[in-house]
Amino acid sequence: MQPLVRSSLRAAMIPTVNGMMTVGLVQLPGMMTGQILAGSPPLVAIRYQIVVVFMLAAATALSSLLFVRLAVRCYLTPAHQLRRYLV
């Protein structure tokens, strides 16, 4: 099951990683833009935005991992066999 779990977690993280690649280069996120317009130094706004983006990525990774682990526990027996009544 380990390769399937890894591939599902990798697939779950693709949109988040793609969004992280464009932050600051292609798009200016709302929080960072708001801080700059309010008079905050740009480097401080960038630091806060980096923290927010990493928090979102961590939340996505943890929730995906939790869901996959619960699904594996629900659909498989301790011997890693598919439960018959779920088929």
Side-chain angles (χ1 to χ4, degrees):
M1 285 306 298
Q2 194 68 24
L4 295 174
V5 169
R6 284 184 184 160
S7 67
S8 63
L9 290 176
R10 189 175 297 121
M13 289 299 294
I14 287 173
T16 304
V17 172
N18 285 339
M20 289 172 68
M21 288 191 296
T22 63
V23 170
L25 297 175
V26 177
Q27 66 170 341
L28 290 176
M31 189 198 75
M32 188 170 75
T33 305
Q35 281 187 332
I36 292 172
L37 290 175
S40 178
L43 291 178
V44 172
I46 291 169
R47 286 182 186 155
Y48 278 117
Q49 187 61 44
I50 289 171
V51 168
V52 167
V53 168
F54 281 138
M55 285 190 317
L56 289 172
T60 301
L62 288 175
S63 62
S64 299
L65 179 65
L66 180 67
F67 177 76
V68 169
R69 298 288 287 190
L70 289 175
V72 166
R73 187 179 298 165
C74 178
Y75 290 116
L76 299 177
T77 65
H80 296 290
Q81 298 169 337
L82 189 62
R83 295 185 192 269
R84 291 283 181 192
Y85 62 88
L86 293 175
V87 176

